[in-house]
Amino acid sequence: MARNIQSLERAAAMLRLLAGGERRLGLSEVASTLGLAKGTAHGILRTLQAEGFVEQDPASGRYQLGAELLRLGNSYLDVHELRARALVWTDDLARSSGESVYVGVLHQQGVLIMHHVFRPDDSRQVLEVGAMQPLHSTALGKVISAYDPVAHGEAVHNAREAFTPRTVTGAEEFEGLLDLIRARGWGSDVEETWEGVASVAAPIHDRRRMPVGAVGVTGAVERVCKDDEVRPELVAAVRDCARSVSRDLGAGRF
């Protein structure tokens, strides 16, 4: 037990050291500053790097804080405040679109549905809060992958399963999709995850302009799309909802 605690203390000290500097640090600098053997320091750095808390510059071999640590630093609002701020706007979106509305956040290697508004009709529906969706094929997942560097890494480096004939699995084509999402500010899924189902989503940002999730509508492809393209009025409604939630989180105007 004492050995595990010591390892945690050393890892914490290493993160503080990297956070306090204005430049990347090499292995020797980290080891000497913390009074550690190079082998010990290297082992801790490799573990932190594998978890995304530390990144290594490929050219110099020096280390800096990773994107996962930044994402965790914003986690105080990621779920509870995000859901609270999204309640009114997602209800409005469901009423105006006539479709189900979902808010998702990055969790491990997928999208965690943390808020779900039922389609406003009399059909039987199942609450999907807590469900997981794939990053690479859903509208929510692709939008989060386009804007969140940690999600991008998960989507790019992990296997992309072909759920339908429309699922994009090739690395180059997938990166092209993410570029398109960033250029136009929204993403879609037209029968890429479930046949007969389409969705459109847009990113939500916090007061630091950091991506904290995405909001989207999902429904039957014949309602969401026209001529195999997402209806422009749905795209506009989803983007308006995402901007409204982002403003409530302090992001200002987008």
Side-chain angles (χ1 to χ4, degrees):
M1 180 64 71
R3 181 178 300 173
N4 291 336
I5 293 173
Q6 185 182 57
S7 297
L8 288 173
E9 289 175 342
R10 288 172 171 175
M14 201 168 286
L15 292 173
R16 292 191 189 98
L17 176 64
L18 292 172
E22 296 182 357
R23 57 189 177 86
R24 299 183 180 97
L25 298 177
L27 173 60
S28 296
E29 294 171 288
V30 172
S32 61
T33 302
L34 298 179
L36 299 175
K38 279 189 178 181
T40 301
H42 187 240
I44 296 173
L45 284 168
R46 288 188 62 183
T47 300
L48 292 172
Q49 185 180 1
E51 295 298 326
F53 297 139
V54 165
E55 296 175 355
Q56 185 179 29
D57 179 61
S60 67
R62 291 175 174 268
Y63 295 89
Q64 64 183 12
L65 294 181
E68 176 67 6
L69 195 64
L70 180 61
R71 188 181 71 84
L72 288 178
N74 289 311
S75 64
Y76 67 94
L77 61 81
D78 272 2
V79 175
H80 300 296
E81 187 178 355
L82 175 56
R83 184 178 184 278
R85 300 295 186 181
L87 285 175
V88 173
W89 300 112
T90 50
D91 282 350
D92 289 346
L93 179 58
R95 282 194 294 269
S96 65
S97 67
E99 302 295 346
S100 300
V101 177
Y102 297 89
V103 178
V105 297
L106 175 66
H107 179 66
Q108 296 177 352
Q109 298 177 358
V111 180
L112 173 67
I113 302 302
M114 43 75 64
H115 185 52
H116 174 199
V117 183
F118 283 166
R119 184 172 62 255
D121 60 20
D122 296 328
S123 63
R124 183 176 180 180
Q125 300 174 62
V126 177
L127 186 66
E128 296 187 44
V129 172
M132 294 291 295
Q133 292 187 1
L135 281 172
H136 71 283
S137 62
T138 61
L140 291 173
K142 286 187 284 185
V143 164
I144 293 172
S145 298
Y147 288 90
D148 186 323
V150 177
H152 178 267
E154 296 286 357
V156 167
H157 297 303
N158 292 318
R160 291 176 292 279
E161 180 180 350
F163 298 110
T164 76
R166 287 175 174 255
T167 308
V168 174
T169 58
E172 187 173 342
E173 188 179 1
F174 183 71
E175 287 285 12
L177 279 178
L178 300 187
D179 288 340
L180 179 61
I181 289 169
R182 285 186 287 267
R184 64 188 185 183
W186 59 276
S188 64
D189 162 14
V190 181
E191 298 189 285
E192 295 175 49
T193 310
W194 304 281
E195 292 186 356
V197 177
S199 58
V200 57
I204 298 172
H205 297 80
D206 67 5
R207 59 182 59 87
R208 301 178 186 179
R209 297 295 183 96
M210 295 296 295
V212 293
V215 59
V217 299
T218 298
V221 67
E222 60 269 18
R223 296 195 308 266
V224 174
C225 298
K226 182 178 181 180
D227 299 327
D228 210 35
E229 296 288 338
V230 177
R231 294 178 182 272
E233 62 270 25
L234 280 181
V235 173
V238 169
R239 296 192 70 192
D240 284 346
C241 179
R243 282 192 287 260
S244 296
V245 178
S246 296
R247 283 196 297 271
D248 277 4
L249 289 172
R253 297 186 64 84
F254 270 80

